[in-house]
Amino acid sequence: MQVQEGDERPLTFSHMHDFVPGLKERGQLDCHACRTTALTEELVQKYMSESSETFHQDSSTPGVRYCPSLESKVVRFPGRTHNIRLEPEGGGEKTSLEGGGWEV
């Protein structure tokens, strides 16, 4: 996996601050990027029934910020590779949130 380091001076989501509150004390956590393979697609299809709660096959989902699940991408675009981002859930956590859609 490719390490995705945080910005040296990250931008805030608010115009009320010119810094990220608490960042100096916490520091930033690295994200990691990779791409799916044929094995990934095979495993997603094999275990699709176990992730039905998060699987959104309906392409009419409203909103410009809709990010399709990995399952949706495998179903809609079989045989392609897809970007995956693993983002840490928090400073003391050992779990990561899977995201995708951005170019590596």
Side-chain angles (χ1 to χ4, degrees):
M1 285 192 274
Q2 178 183 0
V3 175
Q4 302 281 299
E5 296 177 355
D7 296 331
E8 191 172 309
R9 179 136 169 79
L11 300 174
T12 65
F13 289 106
S14 170
H15 295 290
M16 297 174 63
H17 301 287
D18 61 351
F19 62 93
V20 178
L23 181 63
K24 190 173 187 178
E25 297 78 22
R26 285 192 318 265
Q28 291 194 59
L29 302 173
D30 293 339
C31 294
H32 293 81
C34 59
R35 296 185 67 82
T36 61
T37 63
L39 177 59
T40 310
E41 185 171 334
E42 182 182 321
L43 291 171
V44 167
Q45 290 174 344
K46 181 177 180 179
Y47 294 103
M48 184 85 70
S49 63
E50 293 181 24
S51 63
S52 62
E53 292 177 24
T54 60
F55 175 48
H56 303 288
Q57 196 168 10
D58 182 11
S59 62
S60 66
T61 302
V64 296
R65 297 187 65 127
Y66 169 67
C67 182
S69 65
L70 182 57
E71 294 91 341
S72 295
K73 293 176 187 180
V74 166
V75 169
R76 291 179 64 193
F77 308 106
R80 294 187 187 177
T81 62
H82 304 282
N83 297 315
I84 298 177
R85 292 274 191 270
L86 297 175
E87 304 171 356
E89 295 234 352
E93 301 293 325
K94 293 185 178 186
T95 56
S96 295
L97 173 66
E98 175 271 325
W102 307 290
E103 283 302 316
V104 176

